[in-house]
Amino acid sequence: EKVQREKTALVDEKAAMAELGSPEDRPADAKDLIKLNVGGRCFTTRRRTLTQVEGSVLEGMFSGRWDQSFELDDEGCVFLDLDPDCFAEVLHQLRLSQLTGHGEVCWGKVTPPERREPYFRAMLDFLGLAKMPTFVPHFHMLYQGLTLGDGESSVVSAGDGHKWAIGETILEAGTCVWAFKVHALANNYWCFLGVIAAGRQLNARSFCDPSSYGWACSAGSAQAECYIGGHAVHGWNGWSGFHEGDEVTMQLNVDAGVLSMKVARLPLEVFRFSGLPQGAWRVHVNLYTNGDRVELL
């Protein structure tokens, strides 16, 4: 009878184990503690903290499906070859979001660890938390008197008078780079290239808007105009204006509030504005003379 009872107990135990499944088959619990070794520093957090951003790489990694595939250190912690200071800031923001219930983290406004901004932004992109802006070289809105050239990437002035074009891509986080080609600029008279805050109601002189930053021509003057918050400044840092045929590269660091410009014709010069307010931006062009044409690249 004793042997029979033991056999029965063993059968019952095996049945219970089969019903429960192996540890690999059990559904992951949001309350599970996850121990991490990130670049040599140890972190402990709950699974739900790491998986709260739907669709992110972090959510996929710690969903439970890949628990048996992780690389572990000697202490059994999941090893991630990432910068620990940057990861600590990510974990802090995820915990803060849970604590306050404010929903999604605005990663573009998170201050990265000192001297690690490029890495921090790249890591956010890698983890699927905040994608780096993908620049689409198309114009989105045109003032009357401007027409689209080839495709949606160039604009042509029809008639004289100020008129603006606004780019399609909204720049609201990270660093974005784009280029212009000044194909036609009659007498190098007038051309404004820069950025402007998204969602503004603009008149023909869009470069005077308080959110406008960029560089312009000033025919017949050795000191061309720059616009800083819509205010004209002549010859800022030696700027002398665009010429027909110019190839121009611009970079906007949204988080740092810095707009930079490089003109191929002036290989030793980099022109820069700092102090742009936090917000969402679009590429901004303003032309004047009939036939002038600028391409966005």
Side-chain angles (χ1 to χ4, degrees):
E1 291 183 4
K2 181 179 179 181
V3 173
Q4 185 61 40
R5 286 197 303 270
E6 289 177 348
K7 285 184 177 180
T8 301
L10 182 59
V11 170
D12 291 342
E13 183 178 354
K14 289 175 67 177
M17 291 179 64
E19 183 177 345
L20 180 61
S22 65
E24 293 87 346
D25 296 331
R26 296 173 195 165
D29 191 328
K31 295 182 291 185
D32 287 344
L33 288 178
I34 305 293
K35 295 185 177 182
L36 304 169
N37 175 345
V38 182
R41 188 185 305 174
C42 294
F43 298 84
T44 301
T45 189
R46 295 198 183 276
R47 189 184 298 274
R48 64 183 172 219
T49 303
L50 297 171
T51 59
Q52 65 182 285
V53 181
E54 186 176 351
S56 68
V57 173
L58 271 182
E59 182 197 27
M61 287 173 64
F62 294 100
S63 63
R65 297 190 299 273
W66 310 106
D67 285 4
Q68 303 306 311
S69 303
F70 284 132
E71 179 182 358
L72 305 180
D73 67 8
D74 294 339
E75 303 298 324
C77 300
V78 176
F79 179 74
L80 298 178
D81 192 12
L82 298 171
D83 182 278
D85 292 332
C86 291
F87 187 83
E89 183 60 36
V90 167
L91 190 56
H92 168 72
Q93 294 296 330
L94 293 174
R95 286 168 169 165
L96 181 62
S97 177
Q98 280 192 328
L99 186 65
T100 61
H102 287 167
E104 293 186 8
V105 177
C106 184
W107 294 103
K109 296 183 179 180
V110 174
T111 302
E114 188 176 1
R115 296 191 299 275
R116 290 184 176 90
E117 181 175 342
Y119 181 94
F120 183 71
R121 301 301 171 196
M123 191 184 77
L124 291 179
D125 185 47
F126 172 75
L127 295 176
L129 297 173
K131 292 293 184 182
M132 302 291 277
T134 300
F135 188 82
V136 178
H138 292 164
F139 287 104
H140 176 63
M141 295 176 288
L142 307 178
Y143 192 72
Q144 60 190 22
L146 272 185
T147 60
L148 289 173
D150 299 332
E152 298 178 329
S153 62
S154 65
V155 287
V156 182
S157 174
D160 291 345
H162 287 294
K163 51 193 79 75
W164 50 259
I166 304 299
E168 177 178 319
T169 304
I170 295 179
L171 313 172
E172 54 187 346
T175 299
C176 193
V177 179
W178 66 94
F180 296 104
K181 172 72 174 181
V182 182
H183 288 283
L185 188 60
N187 301 316
N188 297 329
Y189 180 69
W190 171 263
C191 173
F192 171 94
L193 304 176
V195 298
I196 198 164
R200 301 289 294 181
Q201 297 294 320
L202 303 173
N203 60 30
R205 295 173 62 85
S206 56
F207 46 89
C208 293
D209 185 87
S211 70
S212 174
Y213 291 80
W215 295 264
C217 296
S218 184
S221 172
Q223 293 186 325
E225 294 173 336
C226 305
Y227 286 83
I228 304 173
H231 296 289
V233 180
H234 289 276
W236 179 267
N237 288 336
W239 173 241
S240 59
F242 297 112
H243 292 181
E244 184 171 285
D246 272 347
E247 297 176 352
V248 181
T249 302
M250 288 193 183
Q251 174 180 289
L252 175 63
N253 185 324
V254 178
D255 308 298
V258 177
L259 177 66
S260 305
M261 179 180 71
K262 180 73 176 173
V263 180
R265 176 173 50 84
L266 306 170
L268 301 181
E269 303 288 344
V270 176
F271 303 94
R272 184 176 290 112
F273 297 133
S274 59
L276 277 69
Q278 287 287 321
W281 301 87
R282 291 183 188 266
V283 169
H284 174 206
V285 173
N286 193 291
L287 300 178
Y288 185 90
T289 305
N290 182 52
D292 286 353
R293 181 165 73 95
V294 170
E295 183 180 6
L296 179 58
L297 304 169

